[in-house]
Amino acid sequence: MCPLPSPFTSLASLEDGFADGLAAMLEAHRGLGVYILVLANAAYDPPLWAQLAPALAKRHAELAAAIADTLRRGQKLSEPDDDVLVFLKLHAIGFEHLKTMECRRAGPWDVMFNPIRTLRPPRVSGMQFDGLQRPYDLAGFHFNKPFLAKEILWQGELSGKPARLLYNKFPFARLHGLLVPEPMRELPQFLTPELHGWAWDLCTPSGVPGLCLAYNSTGAGASVNHLHFQSFVQTDPLPVQNARFAHNGGSEPYPLPCQRFDDPADAWFELDRLHQHNTPYNLIYGQDCLHLVARLPQDSVKLSAASRGYGWSEMAGAITLFSREVFEGLSAADFEAELASFAL
């Protein structure tokens, strides 16, 4: 069998594969999990929504009728509890009231309104932080679970390593995927120098303009304890990548300390130091550089309840909100104060 080409050979191949995979998945699988995944990805991207909304509306009605019939007959639902709860919330909202993601600027910050993402189960991201390294749990949630096979966008060799790219069930970035290097090694979410170098090389250079990889350590928004990066495409630089800020050579301070590295070895020296001190952190790998934010753990009493789920996206200056009132009212100063509260 010929190996599958990398999805990152060009932007067109990534876009086409992403859209075609969602449509094929919805057609081939009737379960709640696939419906939720396709819905959430389509809602993030207006062209995808226009393409997939008719099929999604039809599937929503079919699933609602099947669930109602099962419950009326006093039978147990066969779907996972997480998916049932998410679907019941979606049904309460009403398919006709579901909207695509909206975005605006507040000063230099990206502010997005995406009510569907608020339905996402918390998993590890809501747990108490007790150290950067947790043992890999074969019985817990991980990316080798058989039921996730249908959510794989691509798998093959990538920059010399076997890798698997899955759709993100609740995306908050463009072409948002979960990239798992060497999945069968069953590595916990604890970065190694080898895989740090692999991620760096994957972004430099890339056939996909704007390709980035993000990484949440344990205690900094990681929701799955199976080593993975989050892949996405940034047409315009993230706020943290903006030349206006001091860590990029500009004159403006960032709301909390951020380091930029232009050499992978220098970056690893700092990452190793953070590992030794059990300090949570978020990373953004871009072309030729890495942005690193060391921060308070997600369960710190110094953080507000609303900000405890913040991960790489918020640390990079892009916040997703679930309330229209908050979305329309959030000011640059409000968000900057939230970011500043994460400083060590």
Side-chain angles (χ1 to χ4, degrees), residues 99-119:
K99 305 293 184 182
T100 57
M101 185 272 297
E102 299 176 40
C103 182
R104 70 177 181 87
R105 275 295 180 97
W109 315 112
D110 293 334
V111 184
M112 291 162 282
F113 175 53
N114 188 356
I116 291 178
R117 186 168 164 78
T118 194
L119 308 179

Side-chain angles (χ1 to χ4, degrees), residues 13-26:
S13 66
L14 181 58
E15 289 176 329
D16 291 346
F18 200 90
D20 292 347
L22 289 172
M25 194 188 312
L26 187 65

Side-chain angles (χ1 to χ4, degrees), residues 13 21 53 64 126 134 138 163 195 204 228 238 240 250 330-331 335 342 344:
S13 66
R134 292 175 178 266
L138 190 60
L195 289 172
T204 310
H228 66 287
L238 284 163
V240 78
L330 184 75
S331 70
F335 183 55
F342 280 84
L344 295 168

Side-chain angles (χ1 to χ4, degrees), residues 27-329:
E27 176 66 25
H29 301 283
R30 302 282 162 174
L32 291 178
V34 163
Y35 168 77
I36 293 165
L37 183 153
V38 177
L39 174 75
N41 277 271
Y44 192 85
D45 185 332
L48 268 179
W49 182 261
Q51 175 184 342
L52 297 173
L56 285 166
K58 180 181 178 183
R59 182 63 50 80
H60 185 103
E62 294 169 350
L63 289 168
I67 289 173
D69 181 64
T70 300
L71 294 177
R72 290 191 192 106
R73 289 186 282 113
Q75 296 181 346
K76 185 177 180 180
L77 297 172
S78 60
E79 302 275 6
D81 289 344
D82 281 354
D83 289 341
V84 172
L85 181 59
V86 170
F87 182 80
L88 291 177
K89 290 178 180 179
L90 288 168
H91 192 57
I93 294 169
F95 186 88
E96 66 278 11
H97 298 297
L98 298 176
K99 305 293 184 182
T100 57
M101 185 272 297
E102 299 176 40
C103 182
R104 70 177 181 87
R105 275 295 180 97
W109 315 112
D110 293 334
V111 184
M112 291 162 282
F113 175 53
N114 188 356
I116 291 178
R117 186 168 164 78
T118 194
L119 308 179
R120 169 181 176 266
R123 295 202 178 101
V124 178
S125 63
M127 292 178 62
Q128 181 178 357
F129 175 69
D130 57 9
L132 286 179
Q133 190 167 18
R134 292 175 178 266
Y136 182 89
D137 182 6
L138 190 60
F141 187 91
H142 54 78
F143 295 114
N144 293 337
K145 291 285 188 180
F147 73 86
L148 290 176
K150 58 184 174 294
E151 299 179 11
I152 296 172
L153 169 59
W154 172 90
Q155 57 186 344
E157 185 169 296
L158 192 59
S159 292
K161 292 187 179 297
R164 181 179 299 160
L165 180 63
L166 298 94
Y167 286 99
N168 193 317
K169 195 168 185 176
F170 293 93
F172 51 94
R174 183 168 179 249
L175 302 170
H176 196 173
L178 300 169
L179 183 62
V180 187
E182 302 184 297
M184 303 313 295
R185 285 181 66 186
E186 299 179 342
L187 299 169
Q189 185 73 348
F190 187 76
L191 197 56
T192 65
E194 174 190 10
L195 289 172
H196 160 68
W198 180 82
W200 187 292
D201 290 344
L202 190 60
C203 292
T204 310
S206 168
V208 179
L211 176 67
C212 296
L213 295 183
Y215 178 86
N216 294 329
S217 79
T218 301
S223 61
V224 179
N225 188 28
H226 188 174
L227 202 145
H228 66 287
F229 301 88
Q230 298 186 37
S231 63
F232 60 99
V233 173
Q234 199 64 30
T235 305
D236 298 316
L238 284 163
V240 78
Q241 298 169 324
N242 195 303
R244 69 194 295 168
F245 290 117
H247 56 259
N248 294 320
S251 59
E252 296 184 26
Y254 204 66
L256 77 167
C258 175
Q259 299 179 75
R260 171 184 167 136
F261 294 94
D262 299 304
D263 178 82
D266 290 342
W268 182 255
F269 184 82
E270 176 62 11
L271 288 168
D272 187 53
R273 188 186 71 81
L274 295 176
H275 287 176
Q276 292 178 36
H277 289 84
N278 256 334
T279 301
Y281 59 88
N282 302 103
L283 305 176
I284 305 289
Y285 292 87
Q287 186 167 359
D288 297 317
C289 72
L290 171 74
H291 288 86
L292 183 157
V293 175
R295 33 79 60 95
L296 289 175
Q298 62 203 24
D299 62 348
S300 172
V301 296
K302 297 180 181 180
L303 303 177
S304 69
S307 66
R308 289 185 179 179
Y310 283 8
W312 67 263
S313 181
E314 291 81 9
M315 296 300 107
I319 182 172
T320 299
L321 299 168
F322 317 122
S323 159
R324 177 167 290 282
E325 181 180 3
V326 177
F327 168 71
E328 293 177 348

